[in-house]
């Protein structure tokens, strides 16, 4: 993996060593204090650029245009009237490639490399993580072109793991509000203030190509701001689960990718 990853700065290949444990501890601390951690340059930038160049023809010919209108929860909320400001409707738009369309890429190599899952599990304080069985969902690559964005939402899973591959000319920032709600308190009024642009605690970061980002998105609202310019924002999403053999249902596959296997 040394041909695609900077394992001198980030010793993922040496689990249990002092350097590995120090990195795990740092990432745990960042998760606890800020809800995320970033490994800037874990994937070598030239490898990220090469991967994007190889995928661009696929985005043009084979990608699924995912567009939908949704609220921040992706579903109705029985406790709220339809016109409540926390249920404001937004548009999300991107183009998606699935794992079966990028076989042989460095992204698949990284995803299936056991020390990567071992490291992620340690930083998340999980006993272990497993790759998905699902041939579509295990790794996805999203492209956001001019005017496209991933709008405000909460994640279904506790953690989200991404690798930035290409930054756009303008926009495409990762905007988030840590700890906006909890499992015990939905904080609907706080969500409404955020969506009305009245939350001073939102933050925006711009990730460089090759940066691994691990994010606690279940109770932290987040979005990708609109992209502008001719260069799209391209990012990979790695999906791991605490149990083996996870598959999406056919209806979920069709909803996310326009096709089912």
């Amino acid at each position: 993996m040394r041909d695609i990853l900077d394992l001198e700065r980030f010793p993922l290949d040496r689990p249990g060593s002092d350097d590995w444990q120090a990195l795990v501890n740092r990432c745990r601390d960042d998760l606890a204090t800020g809800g995320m951690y970033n490994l800037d340059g874990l994937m070598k930038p030239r490898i990220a650029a090469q991967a994007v160049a190889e995928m661009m023809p696929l985005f043009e010919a084979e990608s699924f245009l995912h567009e939908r209108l949704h609220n921040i929860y992706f579903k109705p909320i029985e406790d709220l009237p339809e016109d409540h400001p926390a249920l404001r409707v937004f548009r999300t738009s991107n183009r998606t490639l699935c794992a079966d369309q990028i076989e042989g890429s460095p992204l698949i190599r990284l995803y299936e490399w056991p020390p990567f899952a071992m490291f992620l599990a340690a930083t998340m304080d999980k006993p272990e993580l497993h790759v998905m069985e699902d041939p579509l969902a295990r790794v996805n690559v999203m492209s956001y072109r001019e005017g496209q964005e991933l709008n405000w939402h909460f994640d279904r899973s506790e953690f989200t793991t991404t690798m930035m591959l290409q930054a756009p000319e303008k926009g495409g920032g990762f905007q988030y509000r840590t700890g906006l709600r909890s499992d015990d308190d939905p904080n609907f009024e706080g969500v409404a203030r955020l969506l009305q642009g009245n939350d001073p605690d939102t933050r925006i970061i711009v990730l460089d190509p090759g940066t691994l980002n691990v994010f606690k998105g279940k109770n932290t609202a987040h979005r990708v701001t609109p992209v502008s310019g001719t260069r799209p924002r391209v990012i990979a999403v790695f999906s791991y689960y605490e149990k083996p053999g996870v598959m999406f249902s056919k209806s979920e596959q069709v909803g996310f990718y326009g096709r089912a296997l």
Side-chain angles (χ1 to χ4, degrees):
M1 298 297 290
R2 289 182 176 272
D3 58 326
I4 67 172
L5 301 180
D6 185 349
L7 297 177
E8 295 300 322
R9 288 196 299 144
F10 307 110
L12 274 61
D13 60 336
R14 301 194 295 278
S17 68
D18 290 344
D19 289 342
W20 182 89
Q21 190 61 56
L23 180 60
V24 167
N25 293 342
R26 189 193 94 190
C27 293
R28 284 178 175 173
D29 290 344
D30 288 348
L31 280 172
T33 57
M36 72 167 66
Y37 68 81
N38 296 297
L39 301 186
D40 188 0
L42 172 63
M43 177 171 281
K44 296 178 179 180
R46 63 177 179 81
I47 299 298
Q50 178 182 330
V52 171
E54 292 173 351
M55 287 186 290
M56 277 299 117
L58 298 176
F59 273 115
E60 294 297 330
E62 300 181 17
S63 64
F64 174 62
L65 177 59
H66 180 83
E67 291 189 316
R68 66 186 296 183
L69 297 175
H70 61 89
N71 62 33
I72 195 170
Y73 307 100
F74 288 115
K75 63 182 181 181
I77 301 297
E78 295 181 358
D79 296 336
L80 297 178
E82 292 184 1
D83 61 351
H84 192 283
L87 297 181
R88 180 179 173 182
V89 174
F90 296 95
R91 172 181 173 269
T92 278
S93 176
N94 61 53
R95 289 190 173 273
T96 301
L97 290 174
C98 299
D100 66 339
Q101 296 170 299
I102 58 169
E103 291 292 343
S105 79
L107 298 170
I108 300 297
R109 282 183 60 196
L110 176 58
Y111 178 72
E112 295 179 341
W113 185 47
F116 186 47
M118 184 183 304
F119 172 79
L120 294 173
T123 64
M124 299 173 188
D125 203 21
K126 304 288 186 184
E128 57 186 5
L129 291 175
H130 300 272
V131 298
M132 288 187 76
E133 189 80 15
D134 195 304
L136 303 184
R138 55 208 315 260
V139 179
N140 291 164
V141 185
M142 282 82 164
S143 168
Y144 298 86
R145 302 182 182 185
E146 183 162 14
Q148 291 185 308
E149 59 186 312
L150 173 61
N151 231 309
W152 286 112
H153 66 286
F154 294 104
D155 289 338
R156 297 193 299 175
S157 57
E158 182 182 3
F159 294 96
T160 300
T161 303
T162 68
M163 178 71 74
M164 175 60 70
L165 300 174
Q166 178 173 276
E169 294 170 3
K170 294 181 180 180
F174 184 72
Q175 186 174 14
Y176 63 99
R177 169 51 159 92
T178 300
L180 183 59
R181 67 176 186 177
S182 69
D183 292 341
D184 300 320
D185 180 10
N187 190 19
F188 293 131
E189 298 310 313
V191 171
R193 287 193 296 272
L194 170 77
L195 301 185
Q196 292 168 332
N198 296 324
D199 190 330
D201 293 324
T202 59
R203 299 288 183 268
I204 298 180
I205 60 172
V206 177
L207 302 176
D208 293 325
T211 299
L212 175 75
N213 173 267
V214 175
F215 176 68
K216 295 177 70 172
K218 183 179 179 181
N219 289 321
T220 295
H222 54 286
R223 70 167 183 155
V224 174
T225 61
V227 167
S228 62
T230 59
R231 186 172 65 239
R233 181 185 195 263
V234 183
I235 190 165
V237 180
F238 304 105
S239 294
Y240 294 92
Y241 284 81
E242 293 180 66
K243 60 180 182 180
V246 173
M247 286 279 296
F248 280 171
S249 67
K250 288 189 175 182
S251 62
E252 286 176 318
Q253 289 179 336
V254 171
F256 287 123
Y257 314 122
R259 61 192 173 101
L261 294 180

